[in-house]
Amino acid sequence: MATKDEVLKALSRIQDPDLGRDVVSLGMIKDLQISDAGRVSFTFELTTPACPVRDRFQDQARQYVAGLPGVTEVDFKMTANVRPAFMRSQPNQMLPGVKQTIAVASGKGGVGKSTVAANLAASLGLSGARVGLLDADIYGPSVPALMVAHQQPDIVDQRLVPVEAHGLKLMSIGFIAGADKAMVWRGPMASKAIVQMMSDVHWGELDYLVVDLPPGTGDASLTIAQSVPLTGVVIVATPQDVALDIAVKALQMFRSLNVTALGLVENMSYFVCPDCGREHHIFSHGGAEIAARKLGVPYLGAIPLEVAIREDSDRGTPIVVSRPDSAGARAFREVASQIAARTSIQSFRQLPVINVR
C-alpha cells in the first residue's frame, strides 16, 4: 500500500516549467487521501485557470501515481486559485478585490491594441477566471464598440457598477459620456477620470483586471503605473521597424517606473491567403520576437492579420467567443495562457519552499 509520502514524492516529479519548482513544493497538491482499497484522491490546484500546461500536468499526475505499488485507482480534480501578484499585509485600497492587474499598452496608435486587450480578457474569462476590462483610453474609448455594450452603468452606494458583456466586467468613459463624444480634457482631468474608474467602481472579486491603456507614454499610463501596483504590462506592436522602435520606447518607460514587462505581442504578424493557403508577411514578420530577445523580455506570440478578427470586432464580439476554432482565436488564447503563466511567476516570488521528504 502506497503511503502519502510516497504519493507526494511521485507527484514532486512534476515540474512547473515557468516557476522552476515541483508542484508539491509549490503547494498545488491538496486534500490527499488514500483509502484502504488503494484509491488515491487529491486536488491539483493550478495557479491560473488558463494554465498552458494543464493537460500535461493532468497526464503526468495520473501516470506517476498509478505506477505506485498498491494503487488501484487515481481520482483527482483540477482546480485553480489565482494568487495576488504581490505579497501584502492588506488589500490594495484602490482595487481591494483584484488579484492581478495587467496593463496592455502600445507605443503608437493603429496597432490593434484594444482588440488584443479585449480578446485577451475574453480568453482569460473563458478559461474560468473572473475578469474585468478597464478602458483607460480616455480620448478614444473602444471597449463599448468592441463589446457591443453601450448602456450606462448603474450607481450603487455612490459607486459605479460595471457593465457586463461576454462574461466580463467592463468600465469605460464611453459608458458615461458616450462613446461618440470627443473627450477634450487636459492631462490632470484625464488622470482624475482614470483614477475614478478604478477607485469609484464596484469591481468586486476579480482574478484579473485587464487595463487597455491609451497609446503612447502620456499621463494616463503614468497615472495607472503610479497609482496601482501593476502585475505587469503587455506591449502590443506590429512587425514593421518604425512600430517596433516606438514600442521599445514604451517598454522602457514602464521599466523606468518599475513595472514588470510581461512581454511583447506581435499583432497583424502574418496573413494566410484563403485561396492558396500561403502565409504572407504584409508588414514584415518576426520583429517583435527579435526585439524581445534583445530587450531580455518574453515574446508572447503572434496574432495573424485575419479578416474575421476585424469583422467580429466590428460586430462587438471578440473572436475567441464567436469563432473559437479560428486561427486568430487560437493565437489569442495561446498569448493569454503565456500572460497568465508570467503573472503566476510574480505571485510565487516570495512563496516559501515546502520541503517534501
Side-chain angles (χ1 to χ4, degrees), residues 1-251:
M1 177 70 66
T3 65
K4 287 188 177 182
D5 283 347
E6 289 172 332
V7 172
L8 289 174
K9 186 175 181 180
L11 289 171
S12 68
R13 294 168 60 190
I14 304 173
Q15 293 285 316
D16 187 293
D18 297 302
L19 299 172
R21 286 163 54 185
D22 69 87
V23 299
V24 175
S25 69
L26 288 168
M28 295 183 184
I29 307 301
K30 301 181 181 297
D31 305 323
L32 174 60
Q33 299 292 330
I34 305 175
S35 71
D36 293 337
R39 177 177 177 271
V40 178
S41 63
F42 57 91
T43 298
F44 199 135
E45 186 180 82
L46 302 170
T47 60
T48 172
C51 178
V53 291
R54 179 191 185 102
D55 292 340
R56 186 204 306 175
F57 280 173
Q58 187 166 333
D59 292 342
Q60 289 178 327
R62 193 172 301 280
Q63 175 188 345
Y64 294 158
V65 177
L68 293 173
V71 173
T72 59
E73 183 181 356
V74 182
D75 181 24
F76 65 96
K77 61 181 179 180
M78 305 287 284
T79 63
N81 177 28
V82 177
R83 291 164 171 80
F86 304 98
M87 303 291 283
R88 48 184 181 245
S89 58
Q90 59 184 6
N92 171 37
Q93 296 302 309
M94 184 174 289
L95 299 167
V98 178
K99 294 180 178 179
Q100 304 272 0
T101 311
I102 303 167
V104 180
S106 65
K108 63 186 292 293
V111 300
K113 169 186 57 60
S114 294
T115 300
V116 171
N119 278 278
L120 293 180
S123 295
L124 292 170
L126 289 170
S127 74
R130 299 166 297 178
V131 183
L133 175 59
L134 170 60
D135 185 355
D137 193 344
I138 294 295
Y139 301 107
S142 303
V143 165
L146 290 172
M147 292 292 180
V148 72
H150 300 286
Q151 64 268 40
Q152 285 197 335
D154 294 329
I155 299 176
V156 175
D157 296 330
Q158 297 184 328
R159 298 177 74 193
L160 296 168
V161 177
V163 173
E164 296 196 23
H166 307 300
L168 307 175
K169 291 185 176 182
L170 312 173
M171 185 50 59
S172 169
I173 196 66
F175 295 146
I176 303 166
D180 57 343
K181 300 289 180 62
M183 300 292 107
V184 186
W185 289 351
R186 295 188 183 275
M189 294 174 61
S191 297
K192 183 178 180 181
I194 291 171
V195 170
Q196 287 184 312
M197 285 196 297
M198 290 185 287
S199 61
D200 293 348
V201 173
H202 282 289
W203 286 110
E205 299 294 322
L206 294 179
D207 295 314
Y208 303 100
L209 177 62
V210 178
V211 183
D212 179 22
L213 293 175
T217 56
D219 288 337
S221 299
L222 289 169
T223 295
I224 289 178
Q226 294 171 343
S227 302
V228 180
L230 290 173
T231 306
V233 61
V234 176
I235 304 293
V236 180
T238 46
Q240 61 266 48
D241 291 342
V242 64
L244 284 167
D245 289 344
I246 299 173
V248 167
K249 292 178 182 177
L251 178 58

